[in-house]
Amino acid sequence: MADQDFKMTAKTFFGLEELLKEELLAIGARNVKAVNRAVTFEGDKEILYKANLHVRTALKILLPIKNFRARNEEDLYEKTKKVNWAKYIDVDGTFAIDSTVWSDTFTHSKYVALKVKDAIADHFSEVFRRRPNVNVQSPDVLVHIHVSQRECILSLDSSGESLHRRGYRSEQRQAPLNEVLAAGLIMLTGWKGERPFLDPMCGSGTLLVEAAMIASNTPPGLKRKFAFMNWKDYDRRLFNQIFREAKRNRKEIEVPIVGSDIDRAAIDISYANAERSGLDEDLRISKNSFFDRKPIGENGIIVCNPPYGERIGKDIEELYKKMGDKLKQDFSGYDAWIFSGNMKALKYVGLRPSKKIQLYNGSIECRLAKYEMYKGAKA
């Protein structure tokens, strides 16, 4: 791969495409276009490395190497086998296949991955009389096959493990927020670290850590490795230079970032996650009910992801009503952003949202609703 511009695709969640586009433009990517759940762009190796290290709303950075139409599995196999795989994979190295399939012709994503794996292995066997091994856990090269009906795109996955795995979270409460989604929620509010931040239902603390990373200009990829580090043309010197510059550009957090939860186990996990992120000294986390909380400073922002009610049932409407009452009573001058997958319960907040953004949490359709608590407006 010469050091000239090549095409790339950054994958993301529905609703975060425009944020991702802005992030890629900010690192110098060229010809940037938002598509469904992804952004296509062009750049050189420096842009590839920066996209993996810096971009908060991307799940994967892929390099397409071949596009084709396939009539059936055999056609897919033959066209994949024709690629000059030795350009990307060492015959003594390892590889694995990852697949995304939306198709009436190809109905089984694992079978598609198997055909691509066979085609690559057979390509090497025919050309070199030996072949690289498959290593699903930590391959040297991860190949991604994307099938949309009969359109196929073979790509190299430069990220490896999904970019939401920042390296600070290990313990889980049930169904924690994905880190990319959490960062996206905060970025959709427009908050950049200029006013107090509060999550009064912080669970395992993902929103708090992502907020601290945004406010301190800490790159999300600072504590992890990337698949491109195993590539034949990896430029260690260039990456180290980008990495050092990223560390130099971090800054002090100037506002309080505060979280609380009524669940002691969740608070313990929040502390552990914050500690691993290295930003624990910038966070204030306590065991506390939202309904006992007082504001932190003037004109702050609340971002929270309350229960949606799958496990709670009837009490959920009462919970959302109490949240609305609490906001009206104690948080004048604040903007409150509530992210929920329960549209009916959101109505019980009893406030008119000034903005509603459609997103998904996994397969659950959600809304990020903004409530502006005007000063002196106690309803």
Side-chain angles (χ1 to χ4, degrees):
M1 207 185 290
D3 229 348
Q4 59 210 37
D5 278 11
F6 44 87
K7 288 181 166 51
M8 291 173 260
T9 300
K11 300 187 84 165
T12 190
F13 292 123
F14 173 88
L16 302 185
E17 298 94 343
E18 287 301 322
L19 287 178
L20 176 51
K21 181 179 167 181
E22 291 307 313
E23 285 199 274
L24 289 165
L25 286 166
I27 60 163
R30 295 168 278 280
N31 203 8
V32 183
K33 291 190 182 81
V35 293
N36 183 29
R37 296 175 197 247
V39 175
T40 62
F41 63 104
E42 290 172 14
D44 55 12
K45 253 190 233 174
E46 183 180 349
I47 298 298
L48 171 72
Y49 296 173
K50 281 183 172 176
N52 276 287
L53 184 66
H54 285 283
V55 174
R56 300 180 195 283
T57 54
L59 292 161
K60 291 267 185 192
I61 309 294
L62 303 174
L63 265 78
I65 53 174
K66 187 170 176 64
N67 294 34
F68 56 88
R69 277 178 74 82
R71 292 185 307 279
N72 51 34
E73 272 92 2
E74 214 37 57
D75 200 22
L76 169 75
Y77 168 87
E78 288 300 339
K79 284 173 176 164
T80 300
K81 200 167 90 167
K82 282 198 177 93
V83 173
N84 177 14
W85 288 106
K87 190 174 165 190
Y88 311 108
I89 304 169
D90 198 304
V91 69
D92 296 316
T94 59
F95 74 101
I97 313 297
D98 182 27
S99 59
T100 310
V101 178
W102 312 90
S103 176
D104 301 324
T105 309
F106 305 94
T107 52
H108 202 299
S109 62
K110 282 200 167 62
Y111 189 62
V112 165
L114 187 66
K115 290 307 275 185
V116 170
K117 187 261 304 175
D118 289 347
I120 295 172
D122 293 350
H123 168 90
F124 277 98
S125 296
E126 283 177 20
V127 176
F128 298 96
R129 300 284 170 264
R130 57 200 179 94
R131 41 159 289 191
N133 289 323
V134 171
N135 179 339
V136 179
Q137 294 321 115
S138 54
D140 295 330
V141 177
L142 183 56
V143 175
H144 183 84
I145 172 77
H146 182 279
V147 181
S148 178
Q149 294 307 349
R150 293 184 181 185
E151 298 297 328
C152 305
I153 306 171
L154 283 167
S155 303
L156 301 182
D157 181 342
S158 73
S159 307
E161 219 179 7
S162 170
L163 293 175
H164 80 273
R165 296 190 182 278
R166 321 282 209 213
Y168 66 77
R169 198 167 80 184
S170 71
E171 292 105 347
Q172 308 285 41
R173 295 299 281 156
Q174 71 267 1
L177 263 187
N178 178 294
E179 295 88 327
V180 162
L181 181 56
L185 295 179
I186 297 164
M187 290 162 72
L188 284 167
T189 73
W191 185 85
K192 293 184 172 72
E194 70 296 340
R195 55 198 285 211
F197 183 100
L198 171 64
D199 178 359
M201 298 176 163
C202 70
S204 52
T206 310
L207 281 164
L208 298 175
V209 174
E210 292 296 325
M213 288 172 105
I214 288 167
S216 61
N217 203 28
T218 298
L222 217 51
K223 289 185 175 295
R224 54 162 289 158
K225 296 273 185 271
F226 304 100
F228 64 72
M229 293 171 164
N230 297 318
W231 289 3
K232 287 181 165 191
D233 66 346
Y234 173 49
D235 187 337
R236 184 189 301 273
R237 218 155 118 207
L238 175 62
F239 181 75
N240 286 344
Q241 185 188 322
I242 291 165
F243 187 84
R244 281 195 301 271
E245 188 187 349
K247 285 184 89 168
R248 269 201 309 275
N249 289 338
R250 292 165 81 187
K251 58 183 198 223
E252 293 290 314
I253 295 177
E254 319 235 310
V255 294
I257 297 175
V258 177
S260 53
D261 202 283
I262 50 170
D263 181 347
R264 163 52 62 193
I267 290 300
D268 291 344
I269 291 169
S270 286
Y271 271 124
N273 289 340
E275 216 165 80
R276 271 189 297 272
S277 76
L279 294 159
D280 48 315
E281 290 184 14
D282 295 299
L283 299 174
R284 299 196 332 236
I285 305 170
S286 60
K287 182 179 181 298
N288 212 334
S289 162
F290 179 14
F291 307 110
D292 297 331
R293 278 228 70 97
K294 290 289 175 244
I296 39 159
E298 298 266 303
N299 302 325
I301 181 172
I302 290 173
V303 184
C304 68
N305 176 38
Y308 304 166
E310 300 92 78
R311 289 178 291 273
I312 291 175
K314 188 68 189 143
D315 297 340
I316 197 78
E317 289 155 10
E318 182 59 26
L319 172 70
Y320 279 63
K321 183 187 178 303
K322 281 175 72 180
M323 285 167 63
D325 293 345
K326 177 68 177 173
L327 291 171
K328 282 184 277 198
Q329 194 182 320
D330 287 337
F331 287 92
S332 86
Y334 267 62
D335 286 333
W337 294 78
I338 299 176
F339 180 62
S340 176
N342 190 326
M343 315 301 168
K344 191 176 169 213
L346 273 174
K347 292 194 170 79
Y348 283 81
V349 172
L351 296 160
R352 187 185 292 279
S354 60
K355 196 179 264 189
K356 265 185 171 174
I357 301 167
Q358 183 191 9
L359 297 156
Y360 285 84
N361 187 357
S363 60
I364 303 167
E365 187 182 338
C366 297
R367 292 290 182 275
L368 177 62
K370 179 186 186 184
Y371 302 95
E372 294 176 38
M373 313 309 302
Y374 297 107
K375 269 206 186 325
K378 290 205 175 180

